[in-house]
Amino acid sequence: TGVQTCALPILPPITMGADVEVLSQYVDSCVLVVKAGGTEGKDAQKAKESLQKVNVNIIGVFLNETS
């Protein structure tokens, strides 16, 4: 069996102007992180659409700061 590598870069929020098209060239998939009580639904939807537009595979959503 081969060895698999997993890198988890921390990137700026997509809604803050991160260049999703450029970043998408360097990732196989991503986890979308949203802040409980802080990320508005429309912003989460916009982030999801931005990732889908450049064919990034969203493998999950992490709800951050829940308590």
Side-chain angles (χ1 to χ4, degrees):
T1 62
V3 175
Q4 294 186 0
T5 302
C6 177
L8 299 172
I10 305 300
L11 303 173
I14 292 172
T15 57
M16 297 288 289
D19 194 339
V20 176
E21 189 171 339
V22 171
L23 296 172
S24 70
Q25 298 175 37
Y26 300 100
V27 299
D28 296 319
S29 54
C30 76
V31 174
L32 184 60
V33 178
V34 295
K35 183 177 179 181
T39 302
E40 293 189 25
K42 64 181 172 81
D43 291 332
Q45 183 67 32
K46 181 180 174 183
K48 176 185 168 230
E49 291 169 357
S50 294
L51 292 165
Q52 290 176 326
K53 184 177 177 182
V54 292
N55 298 315
V56 172
N57 181 32
I58 303 171
I59 59 173
V61 177
F62 184 84
L63 185 60
N64 197 11
E65 297 185 24
T66 57
S67 56

